[in-house]
Amino acid sequence: MTPSTDRVVVRVGDRVIADTSKSLVLQESTYPAVRYIPLDDVDRTQLRRTETSTHCPYKGDAAYYTITGEPELTDSVWVYEQPYEAVRAIAGHVAFYPDRVSIAVD
């Protein structure tokens, strides 16, 4: 996991959901790198927690958020609130499915 000072802006259409210069980049195996964004840099008024959860053997249990508004994007954001020790730094950060939102990195 690598801290990044690149500016990352997450949008749904014209709406900004997140804007940060403090993301963490997590590269797992051959998967594309994932940007984890501090919750403090996310507009949480546009998120609604869902009951969905999944388990990752490397990171722990993930919880999910739906992005509200038009369009509503169900379970498009995930968070590891109590990640395993090896990835402890992603606690307090969220990630977005890149096929559901626009993620610009400058």
Side-chain angles (χ1 to χ4, degrees):
M1 181 165 357
T2 307
S4 174
T5 58
D6 294 337
R7 183 172 182 212
V8 179
V9 180
V10 178
R11 289 186 174 87
V12 173
D14 292 336
R15 293 185 296 140
V16 173
I17 308 299
D19 188 342
T20 191
S21 294
K22 299 175 277 188
S23 66
L24 298 172
V25 181
L26 181 59
Q27 178 70 54
E28 290 184 88
S29 185
T30 59
Y31 295 107
V34 175
R35 297 274 179 161
Y36 282 84
I37 297 173
L39 270 168
D40 289 343
D41 294 337
V42 176
D43 181 355
R44 289 186 255 180
T45 66
Q46 298 189 67
L47 302 181
R48 181 180 68 246
R49 183 75 171 254
T50 70
E51 294 184 18
T52 303
S53 65
T54 58
H55 178 77
C56 172
Y58 304 106
K59 295 183 292 290
D61 295 322
Y64 289 79
Y65 290 92
T66 287
I67 299 173
T68 60
E70 289 296 323
E72 183 168 281
L73 301 172
T74 304
D75 292 337
S76 294
V77 184
W78 71 92
V79 60
Y80 289 92
E81 294 169 329
Q82 297 180 347
Y84 292 149
E85 191 60 37
V87 291
R88 175 72 50 206
I90 64 172
H93 292 67
V94 296
F96 295 82
Y97 283 109
D99 59 338
R100 301 181 190 174
V101 301
S102 169
I103 302 173
V105 179
D106 294 324

